[in-house]
Amino acid sequence: MADLPPLRTLVGEGWDDYGLIDSGGGRKLERYGAYRFIRPEPQAMWEPALSASEWEAADGEFVPASDEDGGGRWYFHKPVPAEGWPLGWRETRFTASCTPFRHLGFFPDMAPVWDWLRERVADTPDPAFLNLFGYTGVGSQALAAAGAAVTHVDASKKSVAQARENAELAGLADRPVRWIVDDAGKFTAREVRRGRRYDAILLDPPKFGRGPNNERWQIEEGLAPLLADCGQLLDADSRALFLTVYAVRMSALAIGELLSQTLAHLPGTVECGELAVREEARGLLLPTAIFARWSC
């Protein structure tokens, strides 16, 4: 493959059930259905557009711990359902809730990624899609709704159970989805030995994690071998691979070059850049992650 093209920005726009209302001062104000929340956002280094009173009207705020271990807790100013509440994106349906890890059960900046993957396989009969680190399964739903046979893999038994419940909520429980609790690296290596292939692969790895048998995942160590195995699951008839990386000291160019070398045996194009969400208050783009993607 040729040199990487210029960096791209994939922009997530708000929809009825989600929006980035405002950002600034190291925080962001978002709406999740009928509820508004404040969460920390170190990249929001500018001043907020809205008044302090509009921020103070939020239903809750996640306040991080004073150390760098990612701790913290939610503080609620108004009643918020502890069991969560239903939201949707296109055909998908899922339960949002205020998790101990500051997330709300899905990652809205992934919406343009799901759209892009759906477009890549739109003309492929019965496409096979692999979703590694699939979390609560909104991406798996998005591809299943588009006609793909999905293999959803996550190391968390709780997340996979939530993904199955979300699929039932969306009326997609009868779609061909394999729900698998496993370490992503071990599962992918076994798929290579089995001679499996996929038309599209999504990888959304955390910085650090543990597998179901206490396998250790560290992205700086595990990403290259995992991508190498993913490369063996693709062939010249495959259509796409999308990799996102959050909260690590890597650059989009670095993961773009890694993906380009890993998939050098395949035709197609590698691109890289940033994911961002458009703020509703003034149209500002808030960066959320870096990405690299291959398409053919």
Side-chain angles (χ1 to χ4, degrees):
M1 282 179 270
D3 292 342
L4 292 173
L7 295 177
R8 296 178 56 97
T9 302
L10 291 186
V11 180
E13 307 285 355
W15 65 92
D16 287 349
D17 277 351
Y18 172 78
L20 173 63
I21 301 170
D22 192 15
S23 63
R27 302 187 301 167
K28 56 186 175 182
L29 174 63
E30 300 166 289
R31 56 178 177 82
Y32 287 81
Y35 302 96
R36 293 186 173 199
F37 300 101
I38 299 169
R39 294 192 290 159
E41 181 48 73
Q43 298 204 82
M45 296 178 284
W46 42 82
E47 290 297 316
L50 302 181
S51 67
S53 62
E54 291 180 270
W55 281 70
E56 290 166 0
D59 296 276
E61 178 174 3
F62 187 93
V63 178
S66 57
D67 56 32
E68 296 183 356
D69 292 335
R73 59 165 295 185
W74 286 97
Y75 292 87
F76 296 106
H77 314 306
K78 303 174 185 177
V80 174
E83 70 280 7
W85 59 99
L87 297 181
W89 176 82
R90 304 207 192 286
E91 306 98 325
T92 73
R93 296 293 180 270
F94 46 90
T95 298
S97 63
C98 298
T99 74
F101 308 104
R102 83 179 62 186
H103 308 305
L104 283 102
F106 80 110
F107 299 112
D109 59 333
M110 292 293 289
V113 178
W114 303 326
D115 271 335
W116 183 81
L117 286 166
R118 285 155 61 113
E119 291 169 1
R120 298 285 79 74
V121 301
D123 59 352
T124 301
D126 304 317
F129 172 62
L130 174 60
N131 189 6
L132 297 172
F133 310 96
Y135 193 39
T136 57
V138 183
S140 294
Q141 281 192 50
L143 271 293
V150 176
T151 299
H152 173 105
V153 182
D154 197 281
S156 167
K157 185 177 181 180
K158 182 178 180 180
S159 290
V160 174
Q162 183 64 60
R164 297 185 72 137
E165 292 176 8
N166 284 338
E168 292 177 3
L169 183 65
L172 297 172
D174 61 341
R175 299 300 173 94
V177 180
R178 292 195 296 162
W179 305 103
I180 296 173
V181 179
D182 203 350
D183 174 80
K186 287 186 174 181
F187 174 82
T188 307
R190 287 199 303 274
E191 292 289 88
V192 171
R193 293 194 294 270
R194 293 166 181 153
R196 293 290 296 270
R197 68 167 297 279
Y198 290 90
D199 293 291
I201 300 175
L202 173 60
L203 302 93
D204 189 22
K207 178 179 179 181
F208 177 82
R210 294 284 182 181
N213 296 311
N214 207 35
E215 300 93 340
R216 180 177 180 273
W217 165 263
Q218 186 76 37
I219 193 169
E220 293 86 353
E221 301 169 1
L223 183 57
L226 178 59
L227 274 178
D229 280 341
C230 286
Q232 297 305 307
L233 298 177
L234 300 168
D235 59 26
D237 293 323
S238 299
R239 303 307 306 274
L241 180 147
F242 203 107
L243 165 68
T244 62
V245 175
Y246 293 80
V248 295
R249 292 175 180 174
M250 291 184 185
S251 75
L253 286 173
I255 63 171
E257 292 290 359
L258 173 61
L259 186 59
S260 185
Q261 289 189 19
T262 302
L263 302 185
H265 62 292
L266 297 175
T269 302
V270 170
E271 301 172 294
C272 59
E274 295 195 13
L275 298 182
V277 178
R278 191 183 306 279
E279 181 192 275
E280 295 177 340
R282 55 197 152 182
L284 178 152
L285 297 183
L286 176 65
T288 60
I290 58 175
F291 76 88
R293 66 186 185 184
W294 166 83
S295 61
C296 185

